[in-house]
Amino acid sequence: MRVGVLTGGGDCPGLNAVIRSVVRKGIQEYAIDFVGLRDGWLGALQDRVIPLDIPSVRGILPRGGTILGSSRTNPFKHEDGLRRVQDTLAAHKVDALVVIGGEDTLGVATELSREGINLVGVPKTIDNDVSGTDYTFGFDTAVGIATEAIDRLHTTAESHMRTLVVEVMGRHSGWIALHAGIAGGANAILIPEQPFDIDQVCAWVRSRFEINYAPIVVVAEGAVPHEGQMILKDQALDEFGHVRLSGIGEWLAREISARTGTDARTTVLGHIQRGGTPSAFDRWLATRFGLHAVDAVKDGDFGKMVALHGTQIARIPLADATETTKKVDPSLYAEFDVFFG
Ligand code: F6P
């Protein structure tokens, strides 16, 4: 049996750990032959396929990024996309795919599975917004990086008695903002799921100054003020119709300064959250996802995604996972009200 592996969408720490574990178990226990598709679905469209064996996955467990490359390619947006993907798989005698991706890459996988391509999905993303799994790998590393940044920003904010706004990733969901904000002791956490009131944010900032502390405001890039709209970096759309975000942090610092008459600055963490070595938890989760994904392939259990349910790895229909993104529940957000201001 020959299996193709691909990584698509924004990269995240732990992708290499999945590739390694799929290849190690697949070759050692099931005598599967592997190939890698370069740059996600782009490699499938362009027939860019490379050999993938045990020597090629040696030493990659702690390495961030992906040895296969990644892209935000949607084959259905390309002429004859489906046929070209099918041709590439046929030309390399690929019987099945392990698709490692987030909502978009797995959304394409869902469609291709409906078209008869044998595949198993593995959920990745620092945003943690894939439905049907308690966690995606990459998230824990991103939260750790953002928390460390908040810890550092506390001391400089206090030295200058100014507000520091920390903008983190999270287009549709505030998981990183909420987890890192709570772990880092933020005084306000603003997430896409809950439009915020700028007067309320300023009131929290003032009350923090009144007790002689410097406020830390954590904001997800997709957060929006009441009666406002998302702030875009530019007008360009990717092949899944997504805009590039960033700018809400700068906007907030300006508003806070103007409305409270105090100094405010912004730090945008950006891709630092996605780069570098995965945390121990992400290596553990990515490794388990890989082992269970190759088991699903061996069982011929296609059209499924591996998922974390508590401490168990489950297999769920891909279509269920890609129907909607996983949002922060208002009641979870409300648990932390006591820490704001
Ligand atoms: O999908 C993960 C993510 O990191 C989002 O949080 C962010 O909006 C987006 O990717 C940015 O991706 P890129 O800069 O690679 O287009």
Side-chain angles (χ1 to χ4, degrees), residues 9-12 72 102-104 124-127 129 168-173 176 221-222 238 242-245 270-271 273-274:
D11 72 329
C12 80
R72 294 186 187 278
E103 47 157 330
D104 298 328
K124 68 90 221 179
T125 168
I126 64 163
D127 291 355
D129 61 352
V168 298
M169 281 187 169
R171 220 189 247 141
H172 315 294
S173 69
I176 298 177
E221 61 184 349
D238 70 16
H242 299 307
V243 286
R244 286 176 70 202
L245 299 178
H271 295 88
Q273 295 159 97
R274 277 193 356 212

Side-chain angles (χ1 to χ4, degrees), residues 9-207:
D11 72 329
C12 80
L15 289 166
N16 285 326
V18 181
I19 298 168
R20 166 184 175 267
S21 111
V22 165
V23 170
R24 285 283 295 274
K25 185 164 189 186
I27 293 177
Q28 288 174 210
E29 294 205 5
Y30 303 137
I32 293 173
D33 189 23
F34 286 98
V35 290
L37 281 77
R38 292 286 313 172
D39 303 334
W41 295 119
L42 193 60
L45 282 177
Q46 298 179 341
D47 192 9
R48 288 193 290 121
V49 177
I50 56 169
L52 201 54
D53 52 14
I54 289 184
S56 56
V57 299
R58 283 225 170 90
I60 65 172
L61 170 64
R63 264 176 59 194
T66 161
I67 59 165
L68 295 175
S70 194
S71 70
R72 294 186 187 278
T73 304
N74 182 351
F76 293 102
K77 289 282 158 69
H78 293 251
E79 206 180 323
D80 276 342
L82 172 61
R83 188 192 48 76
R84 286 162 65 193
V85 171
Q86 288 167 329
D87 286 353
T88 300
L89 301 183
H92 296 272
K93 300 189 168 43
V94 171
D95 303 299
L97 290 174
V98 172
V99 179
I100 311 166
E103 47 157 330
D104 298 328
T105 303
L106 294 178
V108 169
T110 307
E111 283 306 305
L112 292 176
S113 164
R114 286 192 187 114
E115 297 291 343
I117 293 180
N118 294 333
L119 52 83
V120 171
V122 178
K124 68 90 221 179
T125 168
I126 64 163
D127 291 355
N128 195 38
D129 61 352
V130 177
S131 293
T133 183
D134 293 351
Y135 288 101
T136 53
F137 67 88
F139 173 65
D140 182 69
T141 308
V143 168
I145 292 166
T147 303
E148 195 203 331
I150 296 167
D151 288 347
R152 290 176 184 278
L153 292 168
H154 270 293
T155 62
T156 169
E158 279 156 22
S159 304
H160 294 268
M161 266 305 152
R162 58 164 62 125
T163 301
L164 279 178
V165 177
V166 190
E167 183 184 300
V168 298
M169 281 187 169
R171 220 189 247 141
H172 315 294
S173 69
W175 293 106
I176 298 177
L178 188 63
H179 280 236
I182 292 305
N187 311 112
I189 300 171
L190 311 176
I191 62 174
E193 292 89 338
Q194 302 265 328
F196 64 87
D197 176 356
I198 185 66
D199 292 326
Q200 172 68 80
V201 175
C202 290
W204 286 331
V205 162
R206 282 194 199 90
S207 77

